[in-house]
Amino acid sequence: MGFPVRHATDPLSINLLYTGGTFGCTGQPLTPLDAEIFLPFLRQQLSSLYPADWQINCLKPLLDSSQITPQHWLSILRACLVFYQDNPAPIVLIHGTDTLAYTAAFLAEAFAGSDLHLCVTGSQRPLLHASINTQTDMHSTTEPLHTTTDALDNLRTALQAVLQAPAGVSVAFAGEYWPAQTCQKIHSQDLAAFTGHHRAAYPANSYGLLRPQQRQAWLNQANQRLEQLEQTLCEIRISVYYATPQPVAQLTEQLSDLLARQPDGLVLMGYGSGNFPQSPELQRLLSQAIQHGCLVVAATQVPFGGTDSRYASGHWLAELGALPSARLTLPAIYARLSWICATEDDPSLRRKQWMQCLSDTRLAKR
């Protein structure tokens, strides 16, 4: 897959936001190279990769993505909104791989309804040799690039996504790209570290071409929402419970401890298609949480296929009022719960918004 043919008179601007991660690390153990050293070199690589007016910004401070929190999501969202406001050109976001899928899914929620092309990517191996730590080192080394880096290939794929795919937020890795809310990291070492699918509905299908007046109206609303998010997002509590074969009494005790903290959302990582152990006490506990406004979501530990409630061992959760997760990944479920709870106070409207966001229309009719 190649890039669109460009003519010398074609003005093209591409925005790039660098947040840290393996992509720009050097040394042992791997540590982010200072932005003042790394970004000029990255700009050279970008110009060679694709001739465009590259507008580059970076998150300060640069972060290992395992340190990312919702507060950092806000910083990334704010930077992307500035790009979109000043120049509605495509955005490529370089991010560490550990929480890449979570950030991408959150941005997909945040930019729903816009006409933005945004692709999140990273790398499993650094762009540069581990020994490089200064600008002088780069110029004195015959070939400063890491011999087995996947960074440039992933950048190339991200460019294909923002230049050729429909508007929306996507993830690019190892020669493929997918809608953000379908992606998850599946390998800690292999270069093909992520996977996804293209059977996504909202928010992927909510993007489209906007007229300038419509784009400005969307931006005005987004900036108002950002002010709200700054007050609410970091206060939202989302708990995740991963089911394991154990006595139901222990499971009930653990869930009781989680629910005593009054989370806004609870993700039940069950078995198979969303099956979960059942007992009268568990039913009472979860029913009470749902009645008090907690968004309980029935999910699965299985990486592919999603959930349904055709088995009795999963159907009881649906009858209780637990929300289905369809084909959403855990990062997408977590990001979506965070977004809905931070932007909507009313529990019934939160539930309604969740049901409008599913890719499985059979489930959304419930």
Side-chain angles (χ1 to χ4, degrees):
M1 186 184 298
F3 296 126
V5 176
R6 287 207 51 218
H7 302 285
T9 57
D10 290 344
L12 178 63
S13 178
I14 299 177
N15 301 310
L16 184 136
L17 180 63
Y18 172 60
T19 67
T22 300
F23 197 104
C25 283
T26 60
Q28 293 294 336
L30 288 171
T31 305
L33 196 61
D34 289 343
E36 295 77 10
I37 297 171
F38 180 67
L39 291 185
F41 181 80
L42 177 60
R43 183 180 291 277
Q44 294 175 11
Q45 298 300 309
L46 292 170
S47 297
S48 299
L49 195 65
Y50 191 67
D53 178 18
W54 287 93
Q55 303 296 315
I56 300 176
N57 196 4
C58 68
L59 193 66
K60 297 177 181 178
L62 297 175
L63 290 172
D64 183 290
S65 72
S66 63
Q67 305 300 318
I68 291 282
T69 69
Q71 186 64 51
H72 299 116
W73 286 350
L74 289 177
S75 297
I76 293 170
L77 173 58
R78 191 179 300 109
C80 291
L81 282 172
V82 169
F83 273 145
Y84 190 45
Q85 175 80 59
D86 294 344
N87 179 13
I91 300 175
V92 173
L93 172 62
I94 297 176
H95 195 287
T97 60
D98 284 350
T99 55
L100 185 153
Y102 289 86
T103 298
F106 178 80
L107 292 174
E109 299 291 338
F111 280 99
S114 74
D115 60 354
L116 180 66
H117 292 74
L118 190 158
C119 187
V120 188
T121 192
S123 69
Q124 288 286 78
R125 296 174 187 169
L127 178 65
L128 301 172
H129 281 308
S131 60
I132 291 176
N133 54 44
T134 69
Q135 189 71 47
T136 302
D137 291 341
M138 291 184 191
H139 291 299
S140 63
T141 304
T142 304
E143 178 51 76
L145 296 180
H146 192 290
T147 54
T148 61
T149 184
D150 58 330
L152 289 180
D153 285 341
N154 290 343
L155 263 183
R156 186 177 292 107
T157 305
L159 278 170
Q160 291 169 348
V162 297
L163 294 175
Q164 298 180 346
V169 180
S170 59
V171 170
F173 228 88
E176 297 186 73
Y177 54 83
W178 317 268
Q181 70 271 30
T182 74
C183 293
Q184 56 187 318
K185 189 174 182 180
I186 58 168
H187 206 291
S188 62
Q189 305 295 328
D190 198 272
L191 298 187
F194 286 81
T195 191
H197 60 81
H198 294 278
R199 284 171 280 182
Y202 182 91
N205 65 6
S206 70
Y207 293 82
L209 184 64
L210 301 181
R211 295 190 299 273
Q213 298 92 333
Q214 293 174 314
R215 186 181 301 115
Q216 189 57 55
W218 185 93
L219 278 162
N220 292 341
Q221 185 180 34
N223 285 317
Q224 292 174 2
R225 192 183 295 121
L226 181 60
E227 293 181 10
Q228 176 187 4
L229 289 168
E230 288 172 341
Q231 301 297 319
T232 59
L233 183 61
C234 294
E235 301 301 318
I236 298 303
R237 296 184 178 185
I238 308 298
S239 296
V240 179
Y241 185 82
Y242 197 98
T244 55
Q246 60 180 304
V248 174
Q250 293 181 20
L251 186 156
T252 305
E253 181 182 4
Q254 293 165 4
L255 273 178
S256 180
D257 289 342
L258 280 179
L259 291 171
R261 301 167 194 171
Q262 298 182 324
D264 297 280
L266 171 65
V267 185
L268 297 176
M269 301 296 291
Y271 308 115
S273 58
N275 303 326
F276 203 80
Q278 183 179 11
S279 76
E281 182 59 22
L282 270 178
Q283 288 180 280
R284 183 199 64 78
L285 187 65
L286 291 173
S287 177
Q288 186 177 57
I290 292 169
Q291 290 172 13
H292 288 154
C294 179
L295 296 184
V296 177
V297 179
T300 176
Q301 303 166 20
V302 180
F304 304 106
T307 62
D308 64 51
S309 57
R310 67 181 184 271
Y311 293 100
S313 53
H315 185 71
W316 73 270
L317 282 173
E319 291 295 308
L320 206 64
L323 297 167
S325 58
R327 294 177 61 87
L328 294 177
T329 62
L330 174 59
I333 294 169
Y334 190 91
R336 184 163 294 174
L337 282 174
S338 299
W339 176 263
I340 290 174
C341 292
T343 56
E344 178 55 65
D345 293 328
D346 188 292
S348 62
L349 292 180
R350 286 178 174 180
R351 291 181 62 86
K352 183 178 180 180
Q353 189 173 348
W354 178 272
M355 297 304 290
Q356 292 173 343
C357 295
L358 295 177
S359 59
D360 190 330
T361 55
R362 293 171 302 169
L363 295 174
K365 291 177 181 177
R366 283 191 189 149

